[in-house]
Amino acid sequence: MSLVYLGCLLVSLAGVVALDLRHRLFLGRSPLRAIAMLLAGTAFFLAWDLAGIGLGIFFRAETSFMTGVLLAPELPLEEPVFLLFLCELTMVLACAADRLLDRRASRGRGERS
């Protein structure tokens, strides 16, 4: 049993959340709405994984870096943490891109005036 992969996921998630809160991108702007969105996204992808497992499409990879703890057949403990990280990272990147594009657009309007 190894905690390497789970630890890396948690450290990465903490780093993205810290950037998010520092720059008030997603969780930092509207925490309750953001948490609801993260839970909904994680639940959606978890249901997707469970459907894939049920259909025999998805299988658990055996590595020495994972805990070996299964939440369901073929569903490792690390999967929901990865899905939460994926949702948070996606929303932070989308909010950051939106902010950058808004700044670029406002600078473009300012030069024309």
Side-chain angles (χ1 to χ4, degrees):
M1 181 163 138
S2 173
L3 299 174
V4 173
Y5 181 50
L6 182 60
C8 289
L9 285 173
L10 291 172
V11 167
S12 299
L13 179 61
V16 172
V17 168
L19 284 171
D20 180 357
L21 295 174
R22 165 68 178 89
H23 296 284
R24 300 180 58 85
L25 295 167
F26 183 57
L27 281 168
R29 193 174 354 171
S30 179
L32 293 177
R33 214 167 50 185
I35 289 170
M37 179 76 86
L38 288 174
L39 291 176
T42 302
F44 171 80
F45 285 117
L46 200 52
W48 181 300
D49 278 359
L50 291 171
I53 290 168
L55 293 170
I57 298 169
F58 298 154
F59 297 97
R60 175 176 52 107
E62 293 282 340
T63 71
S64 60
F65 300 109
M66 296 175 67
T67 61
V69 175
L70 296 178
L71 302 175
E74 303 295 330
L75 184 69
L77 171 66
E78 294 84 357
E79 188 67 11
V81 178
F82 169 74
L83 295 173
L84 177 63
F85 168 71
L86 180 68
C87 290
E88 169 67 3
L89 179 62
T90 301
M91 292 311 300
V92 166
L93 290 173
C95 291
D98 187 49
R99 184 177 290 176
L100 288 173
L101 291 173
D102 283 348
R103 284 185 185 168
R104 177 183 259 180
S106 66
R107 284 185 191 144
R109 286 189 299 268
E111 292 173 2
R112 293 182 191 142
S113 300

